[in-house]
Amino acid sequence: MTAKKKVLENSFFYIFSSLLVKAMGFLLLPIYTLYLTPDDYGVTNLVTGFVNVATFIVAFSLYSAVIRFYADYKENRRKIKRLYGTLISFVFISGVVFLAIGFVFQNFVAKIFFSGIEFYPIILIAFLSAIFISLHLLHQSMLQGMQQGRKLTKLNLAVFALTATLQVAFIGIFKLGAVGFLLAQLVVNIGYFIYIIFDLKKNDLVEWTIDTSILKETLKYSIPLMPHDLSTRIASLTSRIFINNSGTLADVGLYSIALQFGNLIDVVQVAVNKAFQPWFYEMMNKNDMDSKKEVVNLSNLLLVFYSFIYMGIGLFSQEAIMLMTNENYFLTWTAIPIFVVGFSIKSMYYFYVNIIMFYKRTARKLFIATIVGSFADIILAYILVPYFGMYGAALAFVLAKIIIVFIIVRLSKLHDDVGYRITKMLRIIVPSLIFMIVGLYFSYTKYLTVFSFNNFIYKVLVLLAYVLFVYITNKAIIEKALKSGRILKMLKRIKSK
């Protein structure tokens, strides 16, 4: 198999497994919310946010280093073995130190990160999970570096299936609540660690040692990446902490489900951008006005497509929440439209960031937007959450996205704006949000926690009115795109990815 075909095959496996796991996790929501109270769901999401941050601290962001240094050492089997042995040993020792620090400062940790939660057993499970999930992620990076996409996909699906099965058993049959949900994840990752040892030994890929020269070199590469890797994860965790400290764990649970629904928009945008980005680079390499004009036209068309996603999630999340959860979670939907606004703003980010990625010098400055935006998210959440609870955190998310987009646009203009215009993009995005607000009028004023068929029909009519509005205002662009076949080509690219 050629290198190009290998990349395409692995891309398919990574995207397929990622989307499938996200989709199945979403479909399991009715089961989780049936057996977990909002407080339980808040606990699990607070712990998950903590573990997401802790894994990068425990591993010092060495995940990227594994992939990068495998490329340098792949012709030297002994060095690969020492690389893997060194990093696994180091991350395990680092995890033990992290756990020891947790024990010593358990009262401080519980007060700062887990207000209202006892150290035993939940916080202890969180620290143990951080160790074994770090090792799990390290092994995934090894497989990724070796371009074993098929094997990695099979393992990811197996781990997800086993974790979900144990979680349902622990919370549904044994009634262990949040403890059972988190314990299932820990048990599976301990089992996975045992598998890592046997797998590397079987394939003669490990030499148990700590090679200080390799360790020093990899840490020198990975530690500078930590601010970028941690910034968005810390922002997400702090929002949950602020909500918990100002409200209740139940509020954290509702916030997390609302964000999960909003993230559906990003799943679509990321998938489409994976297909759009290579084509964009091809057009930019032509370096002529016709190609740039074609880029702008297709980008505007994609924004129109995204606007229907905004409308669908924003308008009908209320009915979805009521169908998939119980009455304890019904108010979750009220925060989802705010996240829709945030992700609609992020749509512009994907177009402008491609310009930055095209120009390699500017790409190195991308971390500025990530770090500044995440820091703004934290500060804004700190200010807004005490007054508005989960709605304050959602609003902070929106404002942070505005800041990130502003920085990205400014960075892109250091080279070439292609022909993109924020005002033009907003003329597509804003009407969809206005129609969404109009469609939600009765939901917020009359049917906050009850389903109404009349209200549902009203939303459908608003959606149809928006479809008509889009066709009238973008008739020329849509018809031209249909005749040129660009939409079909884009769909084929998405499929091939």
Side-chain angles (χ1 to χ4, degrees), residues 243-407:
I243 293 171
N244 183 35
N245 291 342
S246 301
T248 65
L249 286 166
D251 294 331
V252 178
L254 300 184
Y255 169 83
S256 299
I257 294 176
L259 182 56
Q260 188 175 351
F261 269 80
N263 263 320
L264 291 175
I265 297 172
D266 219 31
V267 170
V268 175
Q269 293 182 154
V270 169
V272 172
N273 193 58
K274 286 180 183 294
F276 177 83
Q277 193 176 62
W279 176 83
F280 172 84
Y281 292 160
E282 290 174 15
M283 293 296 103
M284 290 294 286
N285 280 327
K286 291 181 180 180
N287 197 29
D288 60 72
M289 291 306 298
D290 288 341
S291 297
K292 291 181 179 180
K293 187 176 180 180
E294 191 173 354
V295 165
V296 172
N297 288 337
L298 184 54
S299 299
N300 290 336
L301 195 64
L302 287 175
L303 270 178
V304 171
F305 166 69
Y306 292 154
S307 72
F308 289 112
I309 309 294
Y310 313 151
M311 288 288 289
I313 294 175
L315 284 178
F316 300 108
S317 59
Q318 179 183 19
E319 287 74 19
I321 288 290
M322 291 182 176
L323 181 66
M324 299 177 71
T325 67
N326 59 59
E327 62 274 7
N328 293 324
Y329 293 89
F330 282 178
L331 282 176
T332 297
W333 80 264
T334 57
I336 295 174
I338 303 176
F339 284 115
V340 169
V341 174
F343 283 110
S344 70
I345 293 168
K346 191 177 179 182
S347 298
M348 296 184 286
Y349 163 90
Y350 286 108
F351 296 112
Y352 278 98
V353 80
N354 286 330
I355 301 174
I356 294 174
M357 296 301 290
F358 180 76
Y359 294 100
K360 297 173 183 176
R361 288 184 180 179
T362 315
R364 298 170 187 169
K365 300 177 182 179
L366 186 59
F367 77 95
I368 297 173
T370 307
I371 293 175
V372 172
S374 299
F375 184 73
D377 196 348
I378 294 170
I379 297 299
L380 290 166
Y382 178 78
I383 296 170
L384 296 172
V385 168
Y387 296 99
F388 305 107
M390 68 174 179
Y391 305 104
L395 183 58
F397 175 85
V398 173
L399 295 174
K401 290 296 172 280
I402 293 173
I403 292 171
I404 290 174
V405 168
F406 175 80
I407 296 172

